[in-house]
Amino acid sequence: MRIEYLAWRIFYSLLAFVISVTLSFVLLHAMPGDYLHVILPHLAEKNPLATELFREQFGLDKSLFEQYVLYVLNVLQGNWGYSIQYGLPVTEVILEKLSWTAVILLPATLLSIFIGVLIGSYSGWTSGSLGDSFIFKIMIFLGAVPSYWWAIFLILVLGFYLDLFPLGGYMSITALDEGMKLHDVLYHAALPIVALTLTTVPGVYYLMRNSMLMIVGQDYILAARSKGLSEIEILLRHALKNAMLPMITLFAMELAHVIMGSIFIETIFSWPGMGFLTFEALRVRDLPLLQGIFLMDTLIIILANIAADFSYPLIDPRAKVGEIG
Amino acid sequence: MLEIINLKTQFPSPDGLVNAVDSADLQIEDNERLGLIGETGCGKTVLGMSIIRLLPPSTRIHGQIIYKGRDLLNLKEEEMRLLRGKEISMILQNPTTSLNPVLKIGDQIAEVIQLHKDCNRKEAKTKAVEILAAAMIPEAPKRADQYPHELSGGMKERVMIVMGLASQPSFVIADEPTKGLDSGTKAEIIRLIRDMTSGRSMLMITHDLAAAGEICDRIAVMYAGELLEMASAKTILHDPQHPYTQGFINSLPSRGLLPISGSSPSLIDPPHGCRFHPRCPWAMDICRREHPQIIKLEKGHFSRCFLCA
């Protein structure tokens, strides 16, 4: 049963991956303009030979179908192509930027999950109380403000007026002499992390509050009260574990988003991560790189989903992977 | 042991105040098991919940509930919490929803023991397995390590009973412990409750008159929030005086399955006069005009009916 389930799971994941490859290939090639026209519009006009050489070099002279087949075959063998813009293998470029994105997105995601679960469960547990309605209103406000507004606001107030944090970038100019320092990077990462946390907390909060609201009225909570447990013991031992169930999928998805980066935040803070990379690749029509970024997203989301499925039984004994579905 | 004086429990609702329990007087002696009988929605669970004070905050409770000389209704929530589970415990109805689905059976029982019996987690778990075994649960150590969904309905009911009695409370409220069980399992559960609660005081809330007859010393009959008749179990079963009790007994499958005509009245706006008069085959003029008081028929037998006067 388990083996069979696993086989199906892998098959469907592969199917999803291939469909995603095809879709992004078609969509990207349907986009007007190409690298040459963006970067070297005059060269293309003046020297048709250079254009031709370029097309030949990157295999752009072949038919679209031929390009697609070659691409899929290469991807399945682990060759994701070369970035036109960087002249480097796509995977190499992505992995480098990915680590920079992780520097701001991992702390921000963990922080927002921690804060969201904490205040969300408090809010749900004491629903209707003064504290709950206060937090709830604040969260509506936070959720309504877009991420780039926070980024601009933080740069303006904390960076420009108060001069407490750098306006952007990922290390100081002194790094040229002294080399990269961890505290310097973290200093630059602080504002993007805060901006990201502020925008992701409300989602986690709403789901957690809702989930907790469903638990509060359950009979086993009443049973726990009848045992003489204190409210905090009931919350921690009986309610939290049940309320966390719907959160697992959210966590998996949040972590999957880590790799996509945040285009707004990274662009505004000039942070050299995946979001910034995507934005740049799109601007100059670096198709192989864009394609690679989308593939990476697909891959991570598929893996995160599998991870979520397999972590359910760890919390809920009723869910046994491979026996349901 | 426990004395309920003029208890009124009301809930606000969009249609008006629901009088779930109205002017109830009840005494339960040391080592006495009292059955509280009535149809669904007559307020018997609310009466039990009023004692252990586990009703929603919007509930209005008036009257007195004297337990060992203290009025439970005057205790602060924190003082009440210290009594819960330790002195007064409750066996909730619906074991399927009352057991936490993500915690092991053994841990849910050990929790009560650890909280009230001054021992560490490991001792509590050993103790939990011991009581499970004492409750005739086969393969107790294995069961303790299982989750609620792995147990049958009868097994879950046993676990609920064990859990309610694990801390050896002096007063137990058992809410419908025989509900939804097949007759074989029911007989076992009845035996288990009888054995495990001997030497303890208990209020057993049920609509199963036969079960109450086997377990309880005395039976009180509740209707539309009011207590209508109270007597020894034997008297209620064989010589009931109130027309409602008589009707209730005649509606049992073993006594001819004759239902009482009509349906339970609203608790928001109960009938004027005697609450049972619209359904009573012997209703008289006075029953429509005046509300009957509870009267003593003989030693230990009370009834709220003009016919008995």
Side-chain angles (χ1 to χ4, degrees), chain A residues 228-230 233, chain B residues 76-84:
Chain A
L229 294 166
S230 67
E233 285 172 309
Chain B
K76 291 196 185 72
E77 170 54 30
E78 188 58 20
E79 295 173 303
M80 189 63 216
R81 181 174 76 77
L82 295 175
L83 285 183
R84 271 187 215 128

Side-chain angles (χ1 to χ4, degrees), chain A residues 54 167-168 182 219 222 228 240:
Chain A
F54 176 82
L167 300 177
L182 181 69
D219 284 345
L222 191 68
L240 208 53

Side-chain angles (χ1 to χ4, degrees), chain A:
Chain A
M1 197 70 182
R2 234 182 139 83
I3 298 291
E4 195 187 331
Y5 172 78
L6 229 89
W8 276 111
R9 194 73 223 228
I10 290 167
F11 171 73
Y12 280 123
S13 302
L14 211 65
L15 195 67
F17 190 69
V18 170
I19 290 174
S20 167
V21 171
T22 313
L23 269 179
S24 53
F25 188 89
V26 170
L27 283 176
L28 286 177
H29 283 85
M31 208 163 49
D34 68 21
Y35 185 72
L36 269 188
H37 286 103
V38 175
I39 294 296
L40 304 165
H42 301 296
L43 179 76
E45 273 169 33
K46 296 235 167 72
N47 192 349
L49 187 68
T51 320
E52 225 168 274
L53 279 174
F54 176 82
R55 290 193 188 282
E56 210 183 294
Q57 171 103 45
F58 283 92
L60 298 176
D61 52 344
K62 294 190 171 71
S63 76
L64 216 54
F65 183 72
E66 226 173 314
Q67 285 185 43
Y68 170 74
V69 173
L70 278 174
Y71 184 72
V72 171
L73 287 178
N74 278 322
V75 161
L76 291 179
Q77 287 164 23
N79 175 9
W80 290 24
Y82 281 79
S83 159
I84 301 174
Q85 194 186 355
Y86 290 85
L88 289 168
V90 164
T91 39
E92 200 176 296
V93 177
I94 290 179
L95 288 180
E96 204 248 318
K97 299 294 173 188
L98 196 56
S99 52
W100 278 107
T101 278
V103 170
I104 56 168
L105 267 158
L106 220 53
T109 306
L110 295 179
L111 215 60
S112 68
I113 287 176
F114 180 75
I115 297 173
V117 165
L118 197 76
I119 56 177
S121 49
Y122 167 78
S123 214
W125 189 251
T126 61
S127 74
S129 72
L130 229 70
D132 167 50
S133 62
F134 181 68
I135 296 175
F136 192 72
K137 280 171 191 131
I138 288 188
M139 286 297 153
I140 290 177
F141 171 70
L142 283 187
V145 177
S147 63
Y148 52 83
W149 190 88
W150 282 119
I152 294 167
F153 174 79
L154 288 171
I155 289 176
L156 198 63
V157 174
L158 294 177
F160 185 72
Y161 289 130
L162 298 176
D163 204 14
L164 294 173
F165 289 96
L167 300 177
Y170 59 110
M171 53 182 92
S172 310
I173 193 87
T174 51
L176 286 175
D177 298 328
E178 298 164 13
M180 194 170 75
K181 294 248 170 55
L182 181 69
H183 65 87
D184 188 38
V185 171
L186 289 181
Y187 177 54
H188 281 79
L191 287 191
I193 290 176
V194 171
L196 275 170
T197 309
L198 284 174
T199 38
T200 41
V201 155
V204 182
Y205 166 82
Y206 287 138
L207 197 67
M208 189 66 203
R209 181 177 182 272
N210 239 355
S211 179
M212 195 50 100
L213 275 177
M214 312 267 277
I215 303 297
V216 169
Q218 295 292 325
D219 284 345
Y220 53 80
I221 298 298
L222 191 68
R225 286 217 172 88
S226 79
K227 287 176 179 176
L229 294 166
S230 67
E231 288 294 296
I232 190 81
E233 285 172 309
I234 299 172
L235 179 64
L236 293 179
R237 230 181 291 169
H238 288 266
L240 208 53
K241 212 174 166 192
N242 281 291
M244 288 301 269
L245 290 174
M247 305 299 288
I248 295 179
T249 314
L250 178 83
F251 293 164
M253 289 301 110
E254 288 278 332
L255 284 171
H257 286 138
V258 165
I259 95 115
M260 294 193 213
S262 165
I263 294 187
F264 283 137
I265 300 283
E266 289 183 3
T267 311
I268 294 173
F269 283 101
S270 321
W271 189 265
M274 290 294 285
F276 199 48
L277 184 73
T278 313
F279 177 73
E280 278 298 306
L282 197 62
R283 200 174 61 79
V284 302
R285 301 286 189 271
D286 188 348
L287 295 192
L289 184 55
L290 272 179
Q291 181 92 54
I293 292 170
F294 292 152
L295 282 195
M296 189 62 101
D297 288 349
T298 313
L299 205 65
I300 298 279
I301 287 187
I302 288 172
L303 289 178
N305 261 314
I306 293 179
D309 280 3
F310 280 89
S311 48
Y312 261 107
L314 297 181
I315 292 194
D316 191 344
R318 288 166 298 182
K320 288 226 171 63
V321 175
E323 285 177 27
I324 305 163

